[in-house]
Each structure stands twice: as C-alpha cells, then as structure tokens.
Amino acid sequence: AQSVTQLGSHVSVSEGALVLLRCNYSSSVPPYLFWYVQYPNQGLQLLLKYTTGATLVKGINGFEAEFKKSETSFHLTKPSAHMSDAAEYFCAVSPRAGGYNKLIFGAGTRLAVHP
Amino acid sequence: NAGVTQTPKFQVLKTGQSMTLQCAQDMNHNSMYWYRQDPGMGLRLIYYSASEGTTDKGEVPNGYNVSRLNKREFSLRLESAAPSQTSVYFCASSQSQGGTGELFFGEGSRLTVL
C-alpha cells in the first residue's frame, strides 16, 4: 500500500529564509505527487503537482518541488519565505492506475514564519 | 464563484444522534469525495463517488454512509454519532478520473460529538 511521510510536523523559519518541507513516499511504482496548502480555517488548495515529464515542478506563490525517484522524495522549497506563507502544507500521492484521485495525504507540516 | 460549498460549518452532537453533512459543487465535476482531518493524521478518505450513481468506500468508512444525490451533490450521514467522529470534515470534487486531476476542497465542517 502507498504511504506518505512528511518529516517534521512543525517547521519555523525567518522571513526571507529558505523554506524546505520534506516528503517521502512509499510505492513500488512512482505515483502522481501533489503538494497542497491549508490556510487557517480554510480548505486545501493545490500548490503544485507532478505527473510526468520534467522532475522540477513550479507552483503558485514561488514554491517548487523536485521529484527524485532514486530517493522516493518530493520535497517542497521556496527560496525566500514570506509572512503570508505561514500555513499547513500537505504532501499527497495518488496511484497511477485506477486512482480516481483517491489521494493519500501525509500528516502535514505546519510552517511558521517569524520576522 | 462558489466552488465547493459545505453545510453546516459547525455542529455539536450528543453521542447517538444522527446528522447529515451536505456538499454541493458548481464546477460540473464528475468525482466527489469526503475526507476527515484529525491532528497529526492528515486527511483520510471516508467515501468517494467516481461519477453520478456510484459510491465506494475509502480508508475509514465505518460509521458513515453517503448519497450521491445528483452530479452536484454528495452528502455524508452519521447514523449514530460517536466521540471518535469528532473531526473536521472536508468535501472535495475533481473533474479527472485518471488520478492526475486537482481536487477542489470546501471550507470544512467542524463536528464535535459529546
């Protein structure tokens, strides 16, 4: 069965610093990969996704993620954190066959950005 | 520009009571989903409906039932609520059935069972 592990339930960075949120998946076949963001008291919205092609994927708000098959990883980065990036971030996977978008989510990483 | 709308946003129940969470989407999506979110556990799929007229169990279906009323609406029912069902519930929809599509989420329904 597929699973997703997000290393670090809480990450704190200074404004302007690099953001790195880690995600590793467990699957015999590389799945589709997603990052979602949840702002307080809101639903989730898609940041970016990897399905095929270029392994470095760019998303909204300056975020990007790189799919590394050899490391079974899909880490999320942003060069310079902004106060508005404070939110909870979820990595998710979906099987390539018959998935019907049945996403499997990681436990989430709460990002705090301090001045 | 409503997207996915859930009602109610907040609900407090006593153990054993029943209730239905309503969800409607206006994006003409084929697939709809119910997730629950618990601290430290991410989101877990309860039920999904790949298309109108079909429903299937997800990861944590026990204690819940669903109805895909039409293409727009997908409801979640708790027949006899238990404290373990205290959670935030999210409805979502998507167009693609191929696993590559984006899920669009509602704002959530916060349920407390006493």
Side-chain angles (χ1 to χ4, degrees):
Chain A
Q2 294 184 333
S3 65
V4 180
T5 302
Q6 291 184 240
L7 205 60
S9 58
H10 290 82
V11 170
S12 181
V13 300
S14 300
E15 192 172 19
L18 171 72
V19 175
L20 171 60
L21 304 182
R22 299 178 186 274
C23 173
N24 288 89
Y25 66 89
S26 171
S27 174
S28 57
V29 176
Y32 298 125
L33 297 156
F34 305 82
W35 276 99
Y36 280 81
V37 60
Q38 184 182 31
Y39 298 104
N41 300 314
Q42 294 187 24
L44 281 70
Q45 63 183 85
L46 183 69
L47 266 182
L48 49 80
K49 67 179 181 183
Y50 171 77
T51 56
T52 188
T55 57
L56 182 62
V57 180
K58 295 186 185 300
I60 61 172
N61 301 336
F63 284 92
E64 61 183 37
E66 186 172 12
F67 167 58
K68 292 187 176 181
K69 183 178 177 181
S70 61
E71 299 177 7
T72 61
S73 69
F74 191 56
H75 301 331
L76 182 70
T77 60
K78 182 174 181 178
S80 176
H82 191 272
M83 298 294 287
S84 61
D85 294 327
E88 189 156 21
Y89 293 80
F90 293 92
C91 182
V93 302
S94 177
R96 287 182 176 268
Y100 289 109
N101 297 323
K102 289 187 294 180
L103 298 189
I104 299 168
F105 287 86
T109 298
R110 188 169 298 278
L111 176 67
V113 182
H114 52 85
Chain B
N1 197 26
V4 178
T5 303
Q6 294 181 230
T7 56
K9 289 190 173 6
F10 300 94
Q11 184 73 47
V12 179
L13 292 177
K14 294 181 179 179
T15 297
Q17 288 185 319
S18 62
M19 76 158 299
T20 299
L21 299 176
Q22 307 285 357
C23 175
Q25 53 92 7
D26 62 3
M27 295 172 282
N28 201 35
H29 285 167
N30 290 319
S31 303
M32 298 185 72
Y33 313 80
W34 276 106
Y35 283 88
R36 60 178 288 173
Q37 182 180 25
D38 302 292
M41 303 188 73
L43 280 77
R44 292 179 292 169
L45 182 64
I46 305 171
Y47 271 94
Y48 70 101
S49 171
S51 60
E52 186 179 356
T54 68
T55 61
D56 282 289
K57 295 177 180 179
E59 181 185 357
V60 288
N62 292 344
Y64 305 95
N65 287 300
V66 291
S67 296
R68 183 75 182 266
L69 304 171
N70 47 55
K71 191 172 185 179
R72 289 187 65 247
E73 298 173 289
F74 189 39
S75 62
L76 178 72
R77 183 161 178 82
L78 286 70
E79 291 291 352
S80 178
S84 61
Q85 294 178 305
T86 293
S87 188
V88 181
Y89 292 85
F90 287 97
C91 178
S93 70
S94 71
Q95 181 59 45
S96 169
Q97 291 183 356
T100 64
E102 174 181 356
L103 262 63
F104 292 83
F105 285 84
E107 293 190 345
S109 298
R110 187 176 296 274
L111 174 66
T112 301
V113 183
L114 303 175

